[in-house]
Amino acid sequence: TKKLIKTVTLATVIGTALGFTSITFAATEIKAAFNQSDKHPQYLALQDFGNKLTEQTEGRYKLAIYPNELLGDQRAALELVQSGAIQMAIVANPLVENYDKNFGVLALPYIYNGPSHQEAVFTSDLLDELFESTKRFGFEVLTAYTAGARSMYTKQAPVDNISDMKGKKVRVMQSDTMINMLSCMGGTGVPMSQGEVYSAIQQGVLDGAENNEITYADLKHYEVAPYYSTTSHVMVADLVVVSDDFMNSMSKEDRETLRTLAKGSTKTEFNIWNQRIEEAKKFAISNGATFTDVDVTPFQKSCQPLQEKLITNPQQQAMFQSIRALG
Ligand code: GCU
């Protein structure tokens, strides 16, 4: 203990001499909000990013992820990031679309040919400018993660074609594009946050919802809506957002390290995602879900005019074309 006291005293003396307080030696915590479980591919990818960040900043930063909506739903989480109350969050693209309509282009129905097309877009620099432009709202988008392809799932019977969707009330994420999308699929979109979906279907307020296989399985939605029909109608990104105040508090070097590592974590996330889909599907099936393959052509045709309707300025047009060109 004598030795320990000596060491501590010495550190304090040196620290004081250099003009530091002891706080300088403690890692700065980055609080990150996440709405799903700590087994989810995005949680794992973000955790890996956090470990690398701690390592590469020599312990100056430490990431703490709060899963399962502990810090609120995505809309609340984004507001916390925006105000600087927390530093980071993963939120679905529609939430950011509500700040800037140009984001809607990223999640148009059938804009990606499949996962590898989306991966090519998200690992390119095509979206960098758009992602930086949200600084005017007090946050920056660091990178995009995949959340697979979304399909319809319902309570009563599978969906084979557009006429099956008639009169169906289906939960969608809270944005114009998502509501419009449900109409072109033939049904009615009901905007709602993720946490309320299970009981809304159970109580009959909704006929179903639409989501990827992993979320469908993780949130046990098969219990209330056992018919999963692979319409694969849209691939909606999730965005890793960071508070602008926080970014400005970092040294230039650490900020660049954080940006590079975040961007790099997208590839990790895609890999984990692709490995997990089959497992999620099997899990849902073993718990009573039925998966039905759907001919997507009629849905694709029906949603084509939506692409034209929602692309209203030259920036969106240019982005749409560059995304398609990578397909
Ligand atoms: C997906 C997505 C989430 C989103 C959810 C939803 O799971 O990854 O970010 O919250 O869909 O439908 O709300």
Side-chain angles (χ1 to χ4, degrees):
T1 37
K2 251 193 184 162
K3 203 170 165 203
L4 183 71
I5 292 169
K6 256 192 190 160
T7 320
V8 172
T9 316
L10 191 67
T12 314
V13 171
I14 294 173
T16 315
L18 294 174
F20 298 144
T21 63
S22 58
I23 288 167
T24 319
F25 295 104
T28 300
E29 187 178 75
I30 302 174
K31 281 197 176 62
F34 183 52
N35 72 339
Q36 295 181 62
S37 87
D38 59 0
K39 307 283 181 301
H40 191 279
Q42 294 175 355
Y43 184 99
L44 301 176
L46 198 67
Q47 192 176 43
D48 181 61
F49 150 84
N51 292 339
K52 289 182 176 141
L53 182 71
T54 303
E55 212 178 278
Q56 291 191 24
T57 60
E58 290 151 341
R60 283 187 291 281
Y61 293 93
K62 199 169 128 251
L63 180 70
I65 314 172
Y66 293 78
N68 301 316
E69 290 193 352
L70 276 172
L71 298 178
D73 66 10
Q74 292 190 341
R75 195 192 293 213
L78 183 55
E79 280 168 13
L80 291 177
V81 170
Q82 196 183 9
S83 71
I86 63 170
Q87 292 69 43
M88 213 178 251
I90 300 181
V91 299
N93 188 70
L95 281 295
V96 179
E97 182 198 326
N98 291 332
Y99 290 80
D100 178 354
K101 288 268 166 279
N102 287 349
F103 276 82
V105 177
L106 297 187
L108 283 172
Y110 300 109
I111 189 172
Y112 306 102
N113 301 340
S116 52
H117 179 195
Q118 196 190 43
E119 184 171 340
V121 175
F122 291 178
T123 51
S124 75
D125 54 13
L126 211 151
L127 304 171
D128 288 3
E129 220 180 285
L130 176 73
F131 285 0
E132 265 183 47
S133 73
T134 58
K135 278 188 188 161
R136 67 191 193 279
F137 306 117
F139 63 86
E140 179 180 330
V141 178
L142 290 171
T143 196
Y145 283 172
T146 192
R150 298 172 78 95
S151 287
M152 254 353 125
Y153 49 89
T154 39
K155 202 172 173 161
Q156 305 290 359
V159 170
D160 268 332
N161 48 53
I162 293 183
S163 59
D164 291 339
M165 290 289 296
K166 198 160 181 236
K168 293 267 183 319
K169 289 200 282 301
V170 175
R171 177 270 171 167
V172 291
M173 288 188 277
Q174 297 129 302
S175 87
D176 281 353
T177 309
M178 297 294 108
I179 297 170
N180 273 292
M181 173 191 75
L182 230 287
S183 309
C184 76
M185 300 290 292
T188 306
V190 182
M192 196 181 274
S193 86
Q194 177 71 285
E196 301 167 64
V197 181
Y198 185 103
S199 58
I201 300 177
Q202 193 174 40
Q203 288 160 13
V205 175
L206 296 171
D207 298 296
E210 48 87 54
N211 220 314
N212 62 70
E213 300 88 340
I214 293 177
T215 299
Y216 179 62
D218 274 2
L219 301 181
K220 298 190 169 42
H221 284 183
Y222 51 80
E223 289 178 356
V224 288
Y227 298 101
Y228 192 100
S229 312
T230 50
T231 46
S232 306
H233 50 274
V234 73
M235 300 186 76
V236 181
D238 286 311
L239 305 175
V240 181
V241 295
V242 67
S243 142
D244 204 32
D245 282 351
F246 169 66
M247 287 298 265
N248 291 335
S249 75
M250 299 181 92
S251 71
K252 193 164 176 265
E253 204 190 359
D254 285 349
R255 192 159 54 225
E256 277 323 302
T257 304
L258 181 138
R259 281 207 182 101
T260 310
L261 288 175
K263 183 100 190 183
S265 70
T266 288
K267 175 103 190 107
T268 313
E269 194 266 338
F270 265 94
N271 290 343
I272 309 176
W273 188 277
N274 293 334
Q275 283 161 21
R276 283 280 307 281
I277 296 180
E278 274 315 302
E279 201 183 300
K281 221 172 134 174
K282 278 195 193 131
F283 181 79
I285 291 171
S286 69
N287 283 287
T290 305
F291 282 74
T292 306
D293 280 334
V294 178
D295 175 13
V296 303
T297 327
F299 291 105
Q300 243 163 353
K301 278 206 184 111
S302 170
C303 288
Q304 189 89 40
L306 183 59
Q307 300 194 337
E308 281 136 40
K309 180 177 159 196
L310 293 177
I311 295 174
T312 54
N313 67 41
Q315 260 165 306
Q316 292 176 332
Q317 184 63 37
M319 214 156 62
F320 178 77
Q321 271 158 2
S322 334
I323 293 177
R324 289 301 304 151
L326 281 182

